[in-house]
Amino acid sequence: MRNSMKTLVWLAIALLGAGAVGGIALHRGESINALWFITAAICVYAIAYRFYAAWIAARVLMVDATRATPAERLDNGRDFVPTNRWVVFGHHFAAIAGPGPLIGPTLAAQFGYLPGTLWILIGAVLGGAVQDMVTLFLSTRRNARSLGQMARDELGPVGGVAALLGTFFIMIILIAVLGLVVVNAMKHSPWATSTVAATIPIAMVVGLYMRNLRPGRVLEGSLLGVVLLLAAVAGGGWIDHSAFRGWFDHDGLALAWAVIAYGFAAAILPVWLLLAPRDYLSTFMKLGTIILLAVAIVMLQPEVKMPALTQFIDGTGPIFGGTLFPFVFITVACGAISGFHALIASGTTPKLLASERDIRMIGYGGMLLESFVAIMAMIAATVLDPGVFFAINSPAGVVGKTAVEAVATINSWGFPVTVAQMEKLAADMGEATLFARTGGAPSLAVGMASIFGSAFGQHLLALWYHFAIMFEAIFILTTLDAGTRVGRFMLQDMLGNVWPALGRTSWYPSVIFTSLLVVAGWGYFLYIGVIDPNGGVNILWPLFGIANQMLAAIALCVATGILVKSGRARFAWVTALPLVWLVIVTSTAAWEKIFSTDIRVGFFAAARDMSEKLASGLLPPEKAAVAPQLIFNQQLDAWLTMFFIVVLWVVIFDMLRVCLRHLSGKPVLPCSEVAYQQTRLDSAGVRD
């Protein structure tokens, strides 16, 4: 009877989910209720976690709860520490949940709600969550080795070195885009800037409180941090209307320098002083806000106003150039699958994992939660009037510098919006203007504020808007500072082969030197985006998406090779299928970004067009002044894309070489999985 009831419950969930997904896919009316999106997501995730993830864990990976993990075997009380599964889940989610699931779906809404939503659901359960769980498992079985180290150990020096170099340079691009999103959100917004700035000393106060003033009083420190964060949002409103307003009213370049300085400080300061408390506080803020947003959507049942498909699927979109295929997959990025997660799932989270049985919850479940964040972001962006959405996200270089020009252009696309409507919206949000606030963060904040305001009080719209900006900034800065520190570790590891002293993570000259190099790398690309007249999104976000998806492909390459070498070739399709799809998508996108003659898509085409206009004197003075830099930047992006695609294919061919040699009985490098050792920890992670 009990089994029959379970079967009926799961059958009902499956039917409900199928109906919701079908409703989203087939609906072609003026609007669709947002509850369809939440229902589809919850049902799809529940089915995938209960059946597909459980099957992979039991049959493909053969997870063994009796096996001691690196956290237990190598426990040193510092890096390797067996930790409660929920604490590890919180750490893992805080580390992987950056701006991608917020910004990617928001920008992808340019194509309509349907393509991005379907890819978020399908890509997460078949690709992203599989990559995260398998990478976490493989690293756990190999003493928490990093992705690059596993590639060297399992594939050999060629694929390993390519994976290591590709991983490092891809990370530089990823961090630069994170900084650009923060800068665009704070530009000429004293309320947003002061609120985000306040989160830095707040994190340091909480760190000092929990380490020195009240050690062990985690609840007290948590409450203190949350209260101070909320006070920072309210205080930002006071600053915005006070004599201190000018202190926080800056253009993009000044804010970029501030973000660069913050990244350097976060990389060299003790982890307990800034990084750890910021991660800890961000987990509360991230989960709490997403839950609150979901509750508000259920209460309000808002209508999604963006059409299922827009005319911009042909590549003429104002936010970024490129057709629906392949650029919707590149743009959504982390909401469906993220290569950055492989860096966290290998070498970081495995050091804390107390039992292999937690791999499914943390690896697969953590990615599903991030995918749900992406669904929330898609809803928040698409409940806006499409005209408002495009007015906020379209750069001035596309729609026109004045409000009148922008409104006329957007109306010509068939999306009604007025100057008065935008002025009132900006006033309600406590902003001077919302035109051309590119990057995705401002429009997402407006959407979230509109939902919160309708559910909990319209008179607090400005407060909700800047709360949403702080929420986004915490998401982003958490990944920016963690990514900078991880990049520093990777660079120290590589330079240590040249000069051993540089490889010592505790040697302060090496810490400062490598941190400067990493920050200078991503800081330069942040500068590229800031000076770009079109807002930087068209230059950097496609490069971000391509690089991130290529990193995911590298992780799936390594996983597929290890599965074949481990005698599980019949299950290799689990990682090989998403790998094949990512290779098709990223290779196509890279080809278009390099060779397309469309100046809004091709890097070289844009550089040539600007060179010709500069030589002919057709550029206005302000654009001519930065034209040489922009030309160089476009060319550099093209060469970087070439480098990334070469790295990916080197890893692919090396993986195929290893697999073919193994299947034909020829010698390959031995499997680097450590020998079995029985655990001495109980179910709570306590040593017997």
Side-chain angles (χ1 to χ4, degrees), residues 109-390:
Q110 166 179 279
F111 294 127
Y113 68 76
L114 181 59
T117 300
L118 292 180
W119 175 235
I120 290 168
L121 296 176
I122 298 169
V125 300
L126 297 181
V130 171
Q131 175 214 238
D132 292 11
M133 180 170 69
V134 173
T135 302
L136 177 58
F137 171 82
L138 296 177
S139 181
T140 300
R141 287 284 178 95
R142 287 160 178 76
N143 282 338
R145 286 188 176 93
S146 68
L147 178 63
Q149 289 172 320
M150 288 194 293
R152 282 184 294 182
D153 293 342
E154 299 286 348
L155 302 182
V158 176
V161 170
L164 198 61
L165 289 175
T167 299
F168 176 75
F169 286 108
I170 286 171
M171 177 170 282
I172 294 295
I173 301 300
L174 303 187
I175 299 172
V177 176
L178 309 185
L180 179 64
V181 174
V182 174
V183 167
N184 282 342
M186 297 189 298
K187 187 165 53 179
H188 292 302
S189 176
W191 194 336
T193 302
S194 61
T195 301
V196 172
T199 64
I200 298 171
I202 288 172
M204 298 176 73
V205 166
V206 172
L208 289 168
Y209 185 91
M210 291 196 295
R211 180 179 175 87
N212 297 327
L213 298 179
R214 299 279 284 176
R217 305 288 185 173
V218 177
L219 181 58
E220 291 180 14
S222 304
L223 291 174
L224 174 65
V226 171
V227 169
L228 290 175
L229 286 175
L230 295 177
V233 178
W238 176 81
I239 288 174
D240 194 32
H241 298 89
S242 72
F244 300 104
R245 188 181 194 279
W247 293 13
F248 299 96
D249 188 0
H250 301 289
D251 60 16
L253 200 55
L255 293 170
W257 285 113
V259 170
I260 290 169
Y262 166 76
F264 178 71
I268 64 173
L269 286 175
V271 68
W272 60 265
L273 182 59
L274 180 58
L275 202 64
R278 176 182 281 284
D279 279 354
Y280 183 71
L281 290 174
S282 72
T283 301
F284 283 101
M285 192 61 65
K286 290 173 181 180
L287 293 179
T289 304
I290 290 301
I291 292 171
L292 187 65
L293 185 61
V295 169
I297 290 172
V298 171
M299 288 172 54
L300 294 173
Q301 302 182 25
E303 297 293 318
V304 171
K305 299 174 183 176
M306 184 71 71
L309 295 170
T310 70
Q311 65 265 42
F312 302 128
I313 59 174
D314 63 358
T316 60
I319 301 173
F320 59 88
T323 53
L324 179 65
F325 178 86
F327 287 103
V328 69
F329 307 101
I330 295 301
T331 305
V332 168
C334 309
I337 183 169
S338 170
F340 181 79
H341 295 189
L343 305 181
I344 305 301
S346 65
T348 303
T349 303
K351 292 182 173 70
L352 306 175
L353 200 67
S355 173
E356 284 192 2
R357 71 172 173 274
D358 300 332
I359 286 175
R360 177 167 68 121
M361 183 190 82
I362 295 167
Y364 201 95
M367 178 59 211
L368 293 185
L369 184 56
E370 174 157 353
S371 182
F372 188 67
V373 173
I375 290 292
M376 294 294 101
M378 178 64 75
I379 293 172
T382 54
V383 295
L384 295 173
D385 288 330
V388 171
F389 172 85
F390 286 109

Side-chain angles (χ1 to χ4, degrees), residues 37 60 104 171 197 301 322 352 431 440 444 536 625 674:
F37 292 73
V60 180
M171 177 170 282
Q301 302 182 25
L352 306 175
E431 292 291 294
L444 176 59
V674 298

Side-chain angles (χ1 to χ4, degrees), residues 293 416 420 446 642:
L293 185 61
V446 170
M642 283 188 187

Side-chain angles (χ1 to χ4, degrees), residues 392-648:
I392 298 173
N393 284 293
S394 301
V398 174
V399 295
K401 292 184 178 181
T402 68
V404 174
E405 291 175 335
V407 164
T409 302
I410 295 167
N411 275 281
S412 71
W413 299 333
F415 300 119
V417 65
T418 66
V419 174
Q421 181 183 4
M422 290 301 297
E423 289 177 345
K424 182 180 184 306
L425 185 63
D428 289 342
M429 300 298 166
E431 292 291 294
T433 181
L434 286 173
F435 280 105
R437 297 292 298 275
T438 58
S443 66
L444 176 59
V446 170
M448 291 175 64
S450 300
I451 293 171
F452 286 145
S454 298
F456 308 116
Q458 287 281 3
H459 62 288
L460 297 176
L461 271 176
L463 189 67
W464 285 120
Y465 173 81
H466 290 93
F467 172 83
I469 288 290
M470 183 192 68
F471 160 76
E472 294 174 306
I474 286 178
F475 251 79
I476 296 164
L477 290 178
T478 298
T479 310
L480 184 145
D481 52 29
T484 301
R485 188 175 286 262
V486 171
R488 187 248 290 178
F489 289 148
M490 294 171 63
L491 186 58
Q492 284 182 296
D493 184 43
M494 287 188 285
L495 295 180
N497 296 320
V498 180
W499 183 12
L502 290 175
R504 285 163 35 205
T505 56
S506 59
W507 189 45
Y508 224 63
S510 172
V511 170
I512 294 175
F513 175 66
T514 51
S515 297
L516 276 173
L517 289 180
V518 172
V519 172
W522 63 257
Y524 175 75
F525 286 96
L526 172 58
Y527 172 76
I528 286 177
V530 169
I531 67 170
D532 177 28
N534 290 331
V537 173
N538 201 43
I539 287 181
L540 284 184
W541 193 268
L543 188 60
F544 168 90
I546 291 171
N548 191 34
Q549 303 300 281
M550 284 184 180
L551 183 54
I554 289 173
L556 290 169
C557 263
V558 174
T560 303
I562 292 176
L563 287 177
V564 172
K565 284 179 58 180
S566 302
R568 305 175 202 175
R570 68 185 185 280
F571 297 126
W573 61 266
V574 170
T575 53
L577 283 181
L579 169 62
V580 169
W581 177 252
L582 282 183
V583 169
I584 293 172
V585 167
T586 53
S587 298
T588 304
W591 178 271
E592 291 196 24
K593 295 304 292 184
I594 296 169
F595 298 109
S596 174
T597 57
D598 185 344
I599 62 173
R600 299 187 63 250
V601 177
F603 289 131
F604 282 131
R608 285 194 300 270
D609 178 73
M610 187 167 291
S611 296
E612 293 169 359
K613 290 179 178 176
L614 180 63
S616 304
L618 299 178
L619 296 177
E622 66 275 9
K623 195 168 183 177
V626 297
Q629 185 69 60
L630 293 175
I631 293 167
F632 173 78
N633 294 341
Q634 294 276 12
Q635 293 172 336
L636 178 61
D637 285 352
W639 289 111
L640 275 173
T641 304
M642 283 188 187
F643 169 73
F644 292 150
I645 199 67
V646 168
V647 165
L648 173 60

